[in-house]
Amino acid sequence: MKQPWWQGRVARPSEVYAQRARARQTQLTKPAGSLGQLEALAVQLAAMQASDRPQAERVTIAIFAADHGVVAEGVSAYPQAVTGQMLGNFATGGAAISVLADSLNAELQLHALGLAMPVADMPGVRHWQLAPGTANLRRQAAMTAEQCEQAMAVGREVVMQAAGRGCEVFIGGEMGIGNTTAACALACALLQLPASALVGPGTGLDAAGVAHKAQVIDQAVALHRPACATAFDWLCHLGGLELAALVGAYVSAAQLALPVLIDGYIASAAALCAARLNPASRDWWLFSHRGAEPGHAALLAAMQAEPMLQLGLRLGEGSGAALAVPLLRHACLLHNSMASFAAAGVDRRADDAHA
Amino acid sequence: MKQPWWQGRVARPSEVYAQRARARQTQLTKPAGSLGQLEALAVQLAAMQASDRPQAERVTIAIFAADHGVVAEGVSAYPQAVTGQMLGNFATGGAAISVLADSLNAELQLHALGLAMPVADMPGVRHWQLAPGTANLRRQAAMTAEQCEQAMAVGREVVMQAAGRGCEVFIGGEMGIGNTTAACALACALLQLPASALVGPGTGLDAAGVAHKAQVIDQAVALHRPACATAFDWLCHLGGLELAALVGAYVSAAQLALPVLIDGYIASAAALCAARLNPASRDWWLFSHRGAEPGHAALLAAMQAEPMLQLGLRLGEGSGAALAVPLLRHACLLHNSMASFAAAGVDRRADDAHA
């Protein structure tokens, strides 16, 4: 059997350029290390881009939207129609991510992978409609293997086209009523944790709602365990079309040496799945924020991720990643534009005189 | 005796506009609270500006630079000449804050309050030269009451002029070799804590250097305690000219209803002193970041401050506040530009239908 594309080779970021960037940081007119995490970000991006001048100006934000059969179990505070309605809101500029993308001068792409109630007339939305949403993961596999591969291929195609147009940083966002349940179930399966360790209110469940959601997730993981041996199996059985698209996008970006800025809880569940499919992919991801959903911290810890922001966000849509873009841009700008001690005629510390 | 200007009246931010802003946040197309801290920031700024459309576009960054006699005690890793050299680097665009101010399209002002080695020819720097730096606070009062008042008046004048030009958010930054020692001593005195609880490496002391610095600070606080009854007394005895300018700027901004974005450790020590001089001032300050200097967390806690960023910064210059400006701007932009549920035709959650 042919090796699936997502197991294909991922290179390492350039250690040569990482060292050059670290050396440059010590020459800039500031105490060594005083820009904290921004110095590490500049070094990482220099290594990924194999460049002495890392850049995060050309940003593509691709939103993948899909519906989830598991909403039949009463796991969301919002009606399912909202998935399509919000996609329309993204397109007309009224959603958070629309406002942020415009402000950042970032390209915003909208991909409908499978809506339960397809909305025909939404300019700016690409309709893939691989299925009318997923099946109810508490009763059966959310997706067939074929559907899952198709959704992953959409993520890959989107990333390949972005890379071809000169994208410097890729952000994947998601929209899908019910998708914190799917993401949490996937995370529980991959981390081998009970739902109680990872479940949260999503868009706004009360305590009873969260307890019910945890029960649905635990039952689903138990139901599918006999059929699932690999991360791909779990993605098919518990994931969603937009989650699979993110997984495909994250692996594909790594294969193309395109840096990724990972968004919040749902995106991090997809990233963990992608890291299980192709562990070297992880080297190409930067993490934007630690959100309010309780399970997010566990997902980040499993990937040794140290995100830039912690603002209590729980919106999704790629919004947390978008909010981190100015930090990434400033990390690059400081790295590229600050003066050196020598050029500015500023004395170094006494014990650095010979360095 | 006439009441000093810094005890003059400070109004409260508008509760009417805070309520209007909170109401607007519930109408925007996102789950309630899902933008976390950004929602609170938009509400705070709306209340401060008494506006339905809070703005953080017009930003003034004023850097106050001065030297410190306490460097004679060997408390800094850098030679004293660096204060003036870095001021020149700010002016010619090579420093971190120069790069950030340019990127943010913010006004950058440079004020030399008292250099040990005055540099004559620095275009763009305003020379106040109130003294050739402070006296050595381990041996005598750092400033006379008159010098301290003069430095506070500089901060006030800078803020009044910025407010007059339509500044929407004011940032005060500082530069001064040795000023983490002065700031830490002031914080120890105001918080009644030993230096060991607050001292840190500053720009880069090793463990022995930090222990020595703590000893200098404890000795200085003990030396000056008999003469110090008020926060103003402590500021004169342990502070610095740039610290006093920041104190004056922070109180004056509050009196003028001008929002302030507080930078890092030094700025936070000045803010605590300002809050002791005029407690109502605190309502007009937003806090940008929690830095790497160990005492910063204690200063923030004493002011019930929840900063936006935690990136391990320890540079000063106003750089942490500048890095938080895009978050503040995005908080405003989301508040002002997102669509409402009604306008976008997006369903609300079932239990909000009657809200």
Side-chain angles (χ1 to χ4, degrees):
Chain A
M1 185 182 148
K2 186 164 155 284
Q3 170 182 276
W5 66 264
W6 57 81
Q7 289 177 6
R9 182 169 178 278
V10 170
R12 301 294 300 266
S14 165
E15 186 48 40
V16 170
Y17 279 93
Q19 283 180 15
R20 291 162 65 112
R22 275 184 222 110
R24 172 160 174 80
Q25 281 288 332
T26 67
Q27 304 299 317
L28 302 177
T29 45
K30 58 179 175 55
S34 61
L35 283 171
Q37 210 172 340
L38 296 190
E39 298 187 14
L41 285 167
V43 170
Q44 282 183 278
L45 208 54
M48 292 181 196
Q49 296 177 341
S51 169
D52 287 323
R53 296 182 63 83
Q55 301 287 346
E57 295 305 311
R58 302 180 70 167
V59 175
T60 293
I61 305 171
I63 310 289
F64 303 103
D67 274 311
H68 291 262
V70 73
V71 296
E73 304 293 337
V75 291
S76 176
Y78 283 83
Q80 194 164 33
V82 167
T83 304
Q85 291 167 353
M86 280 301 294
L87 204 49
N89 194 30
F90 295 160
T92 52
I97 193 59
S98 324
V99 170
L100 293 170
D102 184 56
S103 161
L104 296 169
N105 198 24
E107 178 191 28
L108 180 62
Q109 294 187 13
L110 306 173
H111 298 277
L113 281 103
L115 299 180
M117 291 162 259
V119 188
D121 189 26
M122 288 197 288
V125 177
R126 179 151 179 196
H127 290 275
W128 301 83
Q129 198 63 6
L130 305 179
T134 53
N136 180 352
L137 61 85
R138 191 192 191 181
R139 310 287 172 185
Q140 63 190 102
M143 296 176 278
T144 65
E146 189 184 4
Q147 288 170 334
C148 186
E149 284 186 36
Q150 286 173 340
M152 289 175 69
V154 169
R156 184 192 195 197
E157 183 174 330
V158 166
V159 160
M160 291 177 81
Q161 290 182 2
R165 286 192 305 277
C167 169
E168 292 163 337
V169 172
F170 178 83
I171 292 172
E174 43 60 44
M175 176 70 214
I177 296 301
N179 70 2
T180 60
T181 298
C184 186
L186 183 60
C188 288
L190 295 176
L191 295 176
Q192 301 186 322
L193 288 170
S196 60
L198 295 174
V199 77
T203 51
L205 292 177
D206 60 14
V210 174
H212 171 63
K213 184 169 157 183
Q215 193 179 40
V216 168
I217 289 167
D218 282 334
Q219 288 171 350
V221 173
L223 172 70
H224 295 291
R225 181 166 290 125
C228 291
T230 67
F232 177 77
D233 296 335
W234 283 118
L235 181 60
C236 296
H237 283 249
L238 296 176
L241 294 159
E242 84 283 40
L243 281 155
L246 285 172
V247 171
Y250 293 158
V251 173
S252 174
Q255 290 174 330
L256 295 166
L258 172 60
V260 173
L261 190 51
I262 305 282
D263 188 36
Y265 181 60
I266 316 284
S268 297
L272 180 66
C273 186
R276 294 294 172 88
L277 293 179
N278 193 329
S281 302
R282 164 66 183 86
D283 291 342
W284 296 88
W285 307 336
L286 302 168
F287 289 81
S288 60
H289 78 110
R290 178 175 289 113
E293 190 76 1
H296 196 192
L299 284 166
L300 292 170
M303 292 183 278
Q304 291 88 47
E306 291 175 15
M308 301 177 220
L309 296 170
Q310 181 167 359
L311 294 166
L313 305 174
R314 51 182 177 81
L315 179 55
E317 305 180 0
S319 58
L323 285 164
V325 166
L327 283 179
L328 200 54
R329 287 179 175 170
H330 277 146
C332 294
L333 195 62
L334 290 163
H335 185 82
N336 297 334
S337 303
M338 279 180 70
S340 67
F341 283 100
V346 174
D347 290 352
R348 309 203 63 160
R349 43 186 294 178
D351 49 355
D352 274 0
H354 306 284
Chain B
M1 185 184 151
K2 189 164 157 278
Q3 169 182 275
W5 67 263
W6 56 83
Q7 289 176 8
R9 182 169 177 279
V10 170
R12 302 293 301 266
S14 165
E15 185 49 40
V16 170
Y17 279 92
Q19 284 181 15
R20 290 163 65 113
R22 276 184 221 110
R24 172 160 174 80
Q25 281 288 333
T26 67
Q27 304 299 317
L28 302 178
T29 46
K30 59 181 174 53
S34 61
L35 284 171
Q37 209 172 341
L38 296 191
E39 298 187 13
L41 285 167
V43 170
Q44 282 183 279
L45 208 55
M48 292 182 197
Q49 296 178 339
S51 168
D52 288 323
R53 297 181 63 82
Q55 302 286 345
E57 294 307 311
R58 302 179 70 167
V59 174
T60 293
I61 304 171
I63 310 289
F64 303 103
D67 272 311
H68 292 261
V70 73
V71 296
E73 304 292 338
V75 291
S76 178
Y78 283 83
Q80 194 165 34
V82 168
T83 304
Q85 291 167 352
M86 279 302 293
L87 204 49
N89 194 30
F90 295 161
T92 50
I97 193 59
S98 325
V99 170
L100 293 170
D102 183 57
S103 160
L104 296 169
N105 197 25
E107 178 191 26
L108 180 63
Q109 294 186 15
L110 306 174
H111 299 277
L113 280 102
L115 298 180
M117 289 160 261
V119 188
D121 190 27
M122 287 196 287
V125 176
R126 180 153 177 192
H127 290 275
W128 300 82
Q129 197 64 4
L130 305 179
T134 53
N136 180 352
L137 60 85
R138 192 192 191 181
R139 310 285 173 186
Q140 62 189 103
M143 295 177 279
T144 65
E146 189 183 5
Q147 288 170 334
C148 187
E149 284 185 35
Q150 286 173 341
M152 289 175 69
V154 170
R156 184 192 196 197
E157 183 175 330
V158 167
V159 160
M160 290 177 80
Q161 289 182 2
R165 286 193 305 277
C167 168
E168 291 162 338
V169 173
F170 177 83
I171 292 172
E174 43 59 46
M175 177 70 215
I177 296 301
N179 69 3
T180 59
T181 298
C184 186
L186 184 60
C188 288
L190 296 176
L191 296 175
Q192 301 187 327
L193 288 171
S196 60
L198 295 174
V199 77
T203 50
L205 293 178
D206 59 15
V210 173
H212 171 63
K213 183 170 160 184
Q215 194 178 40
V216 168
I217 290 167
D218 282 334
Q219 288 171 351
V221 173
L223 172 69
H224 295 292
R225 181 167 289 126
C228 291
T230 66
F232 177 77
D233 295 335
W234 283 118
L235 181 60
C236 296
H237 284 249
L238 296 176
L241 294 159
E242 83 283 40
L243 280 155
L246 285 172
V247 171
Y250 294 157
V251 173
S252 174
Q255 290 173 329
L256 295 167
L258 172 60
V260 173
L261 190 51
I262 306 282
D263 188 36
Y265 182 60
I266 316 283
S268 296
L272 180 67
C273 186
R276 294 293 173 87
L277 293 179
N278 193 329
S281 301
R282 164 66 183 85
D283 291 342
W284 296 88
W285 306 336
L286 302 168
F287 289 82
S288 61
H289 79 109
R290 178 175 289 115
E293 190 75 2
H296 197 193
L299 285 166
L300 293 170
M303 293 183 278
Q304 292 89 48
E306 292 175 16
M308 301 175 219
L309 296 171
Q310 181 167 359
L311 294 166
L313 305 174
R314 51 182 177 82
L315 178 55
E317 305 180 1
S319 58
L323 286 163
V325 167
L327 283 178
L328 199 54
R329 288 179 174 170
H330 277 145
C332 293
L333 194 63
L334 291 162
H335 185 83
N336 298 334
S337 303
M338 279 180 68
S340 66
F341 282 101
V346 174
D347 291 351
R348 309 204 64 160
R349 43 187 294 179
D351 49 355
D352 274 358
H354 307 286

